[in-house]
Amino acid sequence: DAGITQSPRYKITETGRQVTLMCHQTWSHSYMFWYRQDLGHGLRLIYYSAAADITDKGEVPDGYVVSRSKTENFPLTLESATRSQTSVYFCASSEPGVAYNEQFFGPGTRLTVL
Amino acid sequence: EDKVVQSPLSLVVHEGDTVTLNCSYEVTNFRSLLWYKQEKKAPTFLFMLTSSGIEKKSGRLSSILDKKELFSILNITATQTGDSAIYLCAGNAGGTSYGKLTFGQGTILTVHP
């Protein structure tokens, strides 16, 4: 399917476990982003990537790791999950050179850390 | 650090009412301001604004930007229950922040029949 997909859509894990959230886009957009959404905070940027093998921290990067070996994939890993990382995670992609610079969002992953 | 603040944080109205959502921003090397609507899923794009004073319209929704006062408003006229959603605004910067968006906290709009 064309577009941007995330997996899994729902995940329950325990404190201290490693979790990887997957993001895949089919548009060949150069930029990809990971956000978390918590009530009262809107969307907060965790990490972003301007191209394959180029990543940079966003507003709330602590406890997360990203990689981007291929343009279409941008996995987000929680190395040792904590309860404060319970959230809804959105992946997005964009091609900033295009007039609108619109970011397109995936369907989200709801993560619960017990 | 770039900052975007939305108000009110929540709003409850009845069908047919008109609402105005506010967004103020402090974004270095400002390029544009975007509005998104989020129902029980991913945000979907509404508008992008780059120039002051030029209203963007889509049906009952309209938005305008004031680059001097650093704010934008989103108006929804004749609200319907389907307008119930979280409305997010985001500032787009250039320079070293090229491509990134800074989001506000969102306004939760509830429209009662």
Side-chain angles (χ1 to χ4, degrees), chain A residues 31 33 35 37 39-43 45 48 57-59 90 94 96-97 99-108, chain B residues 1 31-32 34 36 38 41-45 48 56 86 88 92 96-106 108:
Chain A
Y31 276 69
F33 308 84
Y35 295 92
Q37 185 173 37
L39 195 62
H41 290 281
L43 289 164
L45 183 65
Y48 71 105
K57 296 178 180 179
E59 181 185 353
F90 287 101
S94 73
Y100 278 99
N101 193 19
E102 174 188 349
Q103 287 187 13
F104 297 85
F105 286 82
Chain B
E1 185 179 323
R31 296 180 72 219
S32 61
L34 290 82
Y36 285 83
Q38 184 180 21
K41 48 186 178 178
T44 54
F45 174 78
M48 190 192 74
K56 292 277 184 91
I86 300 173
L88 297 161
N92 174 222
T96 55
S97 295
Y98 184 72
K100 288 167 54 180
L101 295 178
T102 300
F103 282 86
Q105 320 94 302
I108 302 172

